[in-house]
């Protein structure tokens, strides 16, 4: 009888709260190590948190599956999905396996020695608020070793599946990193399946009538990948790209694929080789968001009453001012590609046509539309833009490339678009350039993640983050994938303050550079562990900045 089994027998029938005596390290049958991180104080409290560690030699995975940070993340992604399937045999276990994206998650990590650590929740048994030692042993001493043996150790029968998963993720990561040298901001492989099952189900659509993606000849690019070899697809070049077409023909579906192309995807998702530049940010209008000292004068100026906009704050932004602020914030923190869909944009910030210019004089209109500065964003600041547009032809004047989606098939119609744009509309440009952004220095005290002396970081779905005493509305931050990802964002904000990266003197961009260093490679999960033992996924700097900018208590220096 092992030490853990003896202890559970000793505790059998004791008050439920004595489960807390299990916190610590234990050996499990089969040569596995168990760490009880947090025990439940009550049967109705959140489940206990435990970690099972398998030594590298016991796990037995070939070195080529874990000899780089990308491969370790990929192998962990495959293992945690396998573990979740095994854990589903017992309702007391909860494993965060994620969805279609392969993110660095706290739920499973692979070390640089090939070791594997699985972190999960366990609802410890306690009828009538008394410890059931026998049932607890079945969970901890028998169930966990079963999961470790069948999910976390090398299995020759599934070796090809593991290798294929790792290869697909590595190819996606390499493809994304190669985009700048190819002069591209995104790539969509031939054969990709972009439609999803529904707005609430991100798995690939099923049934007949699905149209595999095929690049138009004018935009076809071939890329050599380390595992798949030569792959062809549509390269989206740097600059201003317009996606047009009739309603329901796939414009927004393509943009959504690019939006999620900052993440790697599981094999079989249909978007495994759909990638976007790692600094791609989706922008939309967001009525009611708070804005703190953002220079939006490139888009909003001479407000009624004489209020200035070079240092603009509001607790309740309109659609147009919120979109202007989000765009300027994204550029401030290092975005290189902006994605905008007219369906979720503020129309008066996107365009002011010739007739409206004739009716409302410019001196009476505070807004300067994006159409007049979008080329300058790329030319002067290196920021490309991909826009979905179905209702305004004025963007044809400024687009470098125009792609038409017709029945989910892309066509390069740039030449025809230029012929159409050659016919004057009488519209006058209202700006000559995008002037740039002003750096801001957040005050760390305004981003305190503590409540009643304890760190408080929680997610409410993908829509809200609880950070200390603040509740942050993230409904418009569309590149977050799930609740643990939101928790990761909150932990990253806490880390920025705790490590002094945000010190009131550094700019936000400088602090995010330090955060990138902390979260890079295999150390990303470790950097966020410690103050939080529930599930999280490691975020990008852009989602962290978006959350930080939406904290209503935020204070910044200029």
């Amino acid at each position: 009888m092992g030490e853990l089994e003896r202890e559970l027998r000793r505790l059998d029938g004791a008050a439920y709260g004595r489960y807390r005596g299990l916190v610590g390290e234990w050996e499990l049958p089969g040569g596995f190590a168990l760490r009880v991180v947090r025990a439940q104080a009550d049967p109705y409290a959140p489940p206990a948190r435990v970690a099972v560690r398998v030594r590298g030699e016991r796990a037995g995975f070939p070195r080529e599956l874990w000899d780089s940070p990308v491969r370790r993340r990929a192998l962990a992604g495959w293992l945690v999905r396998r573990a979740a399937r095994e854990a589903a045999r017992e309702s007391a276990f909860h494993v965060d396996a994620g969805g279609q994206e392969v993110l660095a998650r706290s739920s499973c990590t692979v070390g640089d020695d090939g070791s594997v650590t699985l972190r999960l929740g366990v609802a410890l048994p306690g009828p009538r608020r008394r410890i059931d030692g026998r049932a607890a042993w079945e969970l901890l001493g028998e169930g966990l070793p079963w999961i470790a043996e069948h999910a976390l150790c090398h299995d020759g029968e599934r070796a090809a599946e593991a290798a294929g998963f790792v290869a697909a993720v590595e190819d996606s990561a390499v493809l994304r990193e190669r985009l700048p040298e190819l002069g591209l901001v995104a790539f969509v492989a031939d054969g990709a399946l972009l439609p999803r099952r529904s707005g609430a189900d991100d798995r690939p659509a099923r049934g007949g009538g699905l149209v595999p993606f095929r690049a138009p000849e004018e935009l076809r690019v071939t890329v050599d990948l380390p595992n798949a070899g030569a792959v062809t697809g549509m390269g989206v070049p740097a600059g201003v790209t317009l996606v047009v077409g009739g309603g329901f023909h796939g414009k927004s579906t393509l943009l959504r694929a690019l939006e999620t192309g900052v993440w790697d995807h599981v094999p079989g998702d249909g978007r495994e080789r759909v990638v976007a530049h790692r600094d791609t940010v989706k922008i939309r209008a967001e009525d009611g968001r708070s804005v703190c000292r953002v220079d939006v004068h490139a888009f909003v100026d001479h407000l009624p009453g004489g209020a200035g906009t070079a240092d603009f704050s509001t607790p309740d932004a309109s659609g147009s001012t919120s979109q202007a602020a989000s765009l300027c914030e994204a550029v401030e923190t290092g975005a290189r590609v902006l994605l905008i869909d007219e369906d979720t944009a503020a129309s008066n910030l996107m365009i002011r046509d010739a007739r409206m210019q004739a009716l409302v004089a410019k001196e009476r209109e505070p807004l300067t539309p994006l159409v007049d500065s979008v080329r300058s964003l790329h030319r002067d600041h290196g920021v490309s833009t991909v826009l979905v547009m179905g209702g305004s032809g004025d963007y044809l004047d400024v687009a470098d490339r125009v792609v038409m989606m017709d029945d989910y098939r892309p066509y390069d119609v740039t030449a025809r678009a230029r012929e159409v744009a050659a016919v004057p509309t009488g519209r006058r440009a209202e700006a000559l350039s995008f002037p740039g952004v002003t750096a801001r220095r957040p005050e760390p005290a305004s981003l305190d993640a503590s409540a009643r002396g304890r760190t408080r970081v929680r997610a409410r779905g993908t829509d809200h983050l609880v950070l200390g005493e603040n509740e942050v509305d993230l409904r418009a931050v569309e590149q977050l994938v799930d609740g643990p990802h939101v928790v990761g964002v909150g932990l990253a904000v806490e880390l920025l303050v705790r490590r002094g990266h945000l010190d009131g003197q550094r700019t936000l961009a400088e602090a995010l550079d330090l955060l990138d260093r902390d979260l890079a490679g295999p150390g990303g999960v470790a950097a966020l562990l410690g103050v939080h033992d529930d599930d999280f996924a490691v975020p990008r700097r852009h989602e962290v900045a978006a959350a930080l900018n939406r904290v209503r208590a935020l204070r910044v220096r200029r």
Side-chain angles (χ1 to χ4, degrees), residues 73-356:
R73 172 169 58 85
L75 180 58
W78 182 74
L79 291 170
V80 76
R81 286 163 173 80
R82 198 173 167 190
R85 289 193 292 270
E86 296 294 340
R89 300 168 183 266
E90 173 56 66
S91 62
F93 293 133
H94 173 75
V95 176
D96 170 35
Q100 299 301 104
E101 300 82 8
V102 184
L103 306 181
R105 293 183 178 273
S106 62
S107 53
C108 188
T109 53
V110 176
D112 57 10
D113 58 354
S115 62
V116 180
T117 301
L118 176 71
R119 301 176 181 87
L120 68 159
V122 182
L124 296 173
R128 299 179 300 278
R129 287 186 165 82
R130 294 287 172 179
I131 290 175
D132 186 337
R134 180 184 180 88
W137 171 252
E138 290 177 355
L139 289 176
L140 300 178
E142 297 174 1
L144 289 182
W146 170 274
I147 294 171
E149 180 70 42
H150 290 81
L152 307 181
C153 293
H154 186 51
D155 178 354
E157 294 181 3
R158 307 187 71 176
E161 180 184 331
F165 193 106
V166 171
V169 172
E170 183 179 47
D171 280 350
S172 172
V174 168
L175 178 55
R176 185 177 300 105
E177 291 306 310
R178 289 197 60 195
L179 290 176
E181 71 185 61
L182 297 170
L184 304 176
V185 297
F187 179 90
V188 185
D190 288 339
L193 293 174
L194 307 185
R196 303 292 95 186
R197 294 188 188 181
S198 73
D201 189 341
D202 199 41
R203 292 175 296 174
R206 298 181 296 184
L210 293 177
V211 179
F213 193 91
R214 183 164 180 81
E217 289 300 325
E218 300 88 341
L219 295 174
R220 175 159 286 128
V221 174
T222 299
V223 185
D224 287 319
L225 299 179
N227 301 294
V231 173
T232 61
M234 183 179 78
V236 180
V240 180
T241 299
L242 200 61
V243 181
V244 301
F248 309 103
H249 280 263
K251 302 187 303 296
S252 295
T253 300
L254 173 59
L255 197 75
R256 173 62 180 164
L258 300 184
E259 175 186 323
T260 64
V262 297
W263 314 117
D264 302 317
H265 290 79
V266 299
D269 173 77
R271 301 170 296 184
E272 303 95 310
R273 296 174 190 152
V274 178
V275 301
H277 192 291
R278 59 190 177 92
D279 292 314
T280 296
V281 177
K282 175 74 179 299
I283 301 294
R284 60 170 297 160
E286 186 181 354
D287 286 334
R289 68 154 286 193
S290 61
V291 176
C292 184
R293 304 196 70 181
V294 178
D295 181 356
V296 297
H297 85 276
F299 301 107
V300 188
D301 205 1
H302 61 269
L303 291 172
T309 58
D311 188 352
F312 180 74
S313 298
T314 179
D316 186 18
S318 66
S320 55
T321 54
S322 66
Q323 184 176 328
S326 295
L327 192 154
C328 294
E329 289 165 349
V331 174
E332 177 192 6
T333 53
R336 309 309 295 171
V337 186
L338 305 177
L339 305 179
I340 303 175
D341 190 332
E342 67 173 350
D343 284 350
T344 57
S347 59
N348 54 349
L349 193 73
M350 297 298 290
I351 188 65
R352 206 162 79 94
D353 64 21
R355 288 179 172 175
M356 196 57 69

